[in-house]
Amino acid sequence: VVGLGPGAADWRTPEAAAALRSASDLVGYRLYLDLLGPPLAGQARHAYDLGEEAARVRAALDLAAEGRAVALVCSGDPGIYAMAALVFELLDREARADWKRVAITVVPGISALQAAAARIGAPLGHDFCAVSLSDLLTPWPVIERRLEAAADGDFVVALYNPVSKRRSRQLAAAAGILRARRPGDTPVVLARNLGRPGEEIAVIALDELTPDKVDMLTIVLVGSTATRRLARGDGGRWVYTPRGYAAKAGKSSEDAA
Ligand SMILES: C[S@@+](CC[C@H](N)C(=O)[O-])C[C@H]1O[C@@H](n2cnc3c(N)ncnc32)[C@H](O)[C@@H]1O
């Protein structure tokens, strides 16, 4: 189960690149297989559309059970809102004798939140959490409770799946929950198509966060009350969340990394 990273090949680990090279079969969402370019000679490509996640995983397991070397590809990290959990869920739920023989490796990748953070500075420099706003698989009241807890905990919050073609209400509601507990000028990073053609990064204020500013290829990072902007004379525009060194100046630190 291979994490491709957000897009660009130079954001892909050598382990992921090797797994892709040695695979006889590439299985994945069409957009991600397209991002990889043409398959190597002799490699079979099995492209699926959005919403066919279980079919994708079953096909990958069936091919692997036949003895093929399968790369089930995911964008970012395969364990973060991606296919790895579904692989284990299906293995757990369905006692298929042929699937039991399949050897599994999960190959990590750079997740969208890490890529977005790196592009804009260090917004995840202190405690953060991730919440997916997709209520296809998770009931909205559960998502709402987690957003409220994240807001109460003053976490930097990464919002995955902020909107889809049919769904924009959730982002407006999430912005409202966060606005109730942190200042309106809290920095919000909108990162779209990271590592892919058409990459866009913008920093807005929490007060300006509305669904029309994002799409399903965007990740949203909402700062905590400590997150701040840094404008430099060279035109650099950065966002960071301090770890608290200023308050600790002069004292020794046991956990500085
Ligand atoms: C189903 S999740 C997949 C997450 C992925 N496994 C990861 O670790 O990044 C899809 C969501 O991830 C975010 N995302 C994934 N790739 C992205 C990229 N290249 N640029 C910006 N956001 C991205 C978007 O919020 C998108 O709606």
Side-chain angles (χ1 to χ4, degrees), residues 5-7 11 32 35 74-83 109-116 132 159-163 167 191-196 215-220:
W11 271 354
Y32 303 152
L35 282 172
C74 309
S75 85
D77 184 272
I80 299 182
Y81 307 122
M83 297 289 99
I110 295 177
S111 191
L113 98 178
Q114 294 165 283
S132 166
L159 300 173
Y160 281 76
N161 302 302
V163 298
R167 185 172 60 69
R192 180 167 186 276
N193 266 327
L194 289 153
R196 301 176 188 162
D215 64 9
M216 61 192 293
L217 301 173
T218 309
I219 185 162
V220 179

Side-chain angles (χ1 to χ4, degrees), residues 50-133:
L50 257 194
E52 297 181 315
E53 286 80 16
R56 227 181 287 171
V57 173
R58 280 173 202 288
L61 286 169
D62 286 344
L63 286 163
E66 287 167 20
R68 317 268 307 170
V70 180
L72 173 60
V73 303
C74 309
S75 85
D77 184 272
I80 299 182
Y81 307 122
M83 297 289 99
L86 186 52
V87 169
F88 294 110
E89 205 179 315
L90 288 179
L91 288 173
D92 200 13
R93 226 167 44 205
E94 301 180 17
R96 287 262 306 261
D98 56 341
W99 286 358
K100 280 196 181 136
R101 291 196 304 268
V102 173
I104 297 181
T105 309
V106 180
V107 179
I110 295 177
S111 191
L113 98 178
Q114 294 165 283
R119 281 286 196 247
I120 203 68
L124 308 180
H126 210 299
D127 297 337
F128 64 92
C129 65
V131 179
S132 166
L133 295 189

Side-chain angles (χ1 to χ4, degrees), residues 24-50:
S24 60
D25 295 75
L26 304 176
V27 179
Y29 172 38
R30 194 174 303 282
L31 171 74
Y32 303 152
L33 291 179
D34 288 348
L35 282 172
L36 282 179
L40 302 174
Q43 227 170 25
R45 193 173 173 275
H46 310 264
Y48 287 80
D49 292 320
L50 257 194

Side-chain angles (χ1 to χ4, degrees), residues 96-184:
R96 287 262 306 261
D98 56 341
W99 286 358
K100 280 196 181 136
R101 291 196 304 268
V102 173
I104 297 181
T105 309
V106 180
V107 179
I110 295 177
S111 191
L113 98 178
Q114 294 165 283
R119 281 286 196 247
I120 203 68
L124 308 180
H126 210 299
D127 297 337
F128 64 92
C129 65
V131 179
S132 166
L133 295 189
S134 170
D135 60 356
L136 273 182
L137 303 172
T138 308
W140 174 249
V142 173
I143 300 173
E144 203 171 32
R145 186 162 53 80
R146 289 181 183 160
L147 287 166
E148 278 161 4
D152 282 342
D154 197 20
F155 287 94
V156 176
V157 186
L159 300 173
Y160 281 76
N161 302 302
V163 298
S164 75
K165 282 193 185 119
R166 289 186 299 264
R167 185 172 60 69
S168 63
R169 187 184 63 78
Q170 291 80 0
L171 181 64
I177 290 169
L178 291 160
R179 254 199 305 269
R181 287 146 173 107
R182 51 192 80 172

Side-chain angles (χ1 to χ4, degrees), residues 10 65 86 102 107 145 148 201 221 223 228 232 245 251:
D10 52 2
L86 186 52
V102 173
V107 179
R145 186 162 53 80
E148 278 161 4
I201 312 270
L221 305 181
R228 60 194 69 178
R232 297 198 335 158
Y245 287 105
K251 297 184 198 157

